[in-house]
Amino acid sequence: MQGFNGNQEQERQSIPRYCLYCRTLFALSVVAALATSILDEPLQSIPALVLIGVFLLYTVTVYFINRDNPVGSNTISLIDGILMALAASELGYSLWPSLLFISVLYYESFSRGGIRQWGVVNIGIAIGVAAGFFLLQNQALATNPAYTV
């Protein structure tokens, strides 16, 4: 079915505004959680400051890229999952911020692409947790006795 302007393909590909707003909400919640974690000693936590800058820059960049023509939604969802898991790793895998990040990310992926998009987000989360574990040297999961078998 063609729209008023006769361009069916453009209407089908446009991303709803709520998906862009959901990504903005997700990034701002991560930035707020990271900012509150470094209030006491902001210059001691360089990885958290870098992640805050990356989230702000990434949100603005993705908004302007996907505003009119969506490209690479799987890649963007994968990067969302990786960044979320890195932020959770930087926060020491704290329960409530991690649940907030995952729920907002899952809502955005289900509303935009269904099960396939959700699977891509889960792959990104797995890559991000591994990167946080090995690259950021955040061994909170290995040293916490509640997580040992």
Side-chain angles (χ1 to χ4, degrees), residues 2-127:
Q2 292 184 350
F4 292 119
N5 60 359
N7 192 354
Q8 178 184 5
E9 192 65 27
Q10 178 67 20
E11 289 180 10
R12 192 176 337 152
Q13 285 185 353
S14 65
I15 292 179
R17 286 278 189 221
Y18 68 87
C19 288
L20 298 174
Y21 297 147
C22 188
R23 178 172 282 113
T24 304
L25 175 70
F26 164 67
L28 290 178
S29 66
V30 170
V31 166
L34 286 171
T36 57
S37 73
I38 61 169
L39 284 178
D40 295 336
E41 19 188 79
L43 296 178
Q44 298 289 331
S45 183
I46 299 299
L49 291 173
V50 169
L51 275 173
I52 288 172
V54 165
F55 264 102
L56 293 175
L57 183 65
Y58 173 72
T59 304
V60 171
T61 304
V62 168
Y63 177 78
F64 284 116
I65 288 173
N66 282 339
R67 183 176 50 179
D68 295 324
N69 65 1
V71 292
S73 64
N74 286 340
T75 306
I76 290 172
S77 293
L78 184 73
I79 294 171
D80 283 345
I82 291 171
L83 288 177
M84 186 280 308
L86 285 174
S89 172
E90 186 60 35
L91 291 172
Y93 302 104
S94 182
L95 180 65
W96 291 114
S98 299
L99 286 176
L100 172 75
F101 300 158
I102 288 174
S103 63
V104 171
L105 197 58
Y106 280 176
Y107 170 74
E108 193 264 334
S109 68
F110 274 129
S111 66
R112 202 163 104 211
I115 296 293
R116 181 178 179 195
Q117 204 77 13
W118 177 74
V120 171
V121 165
N122 281 332
I123 292 170
I125 289 172
I127 292 171

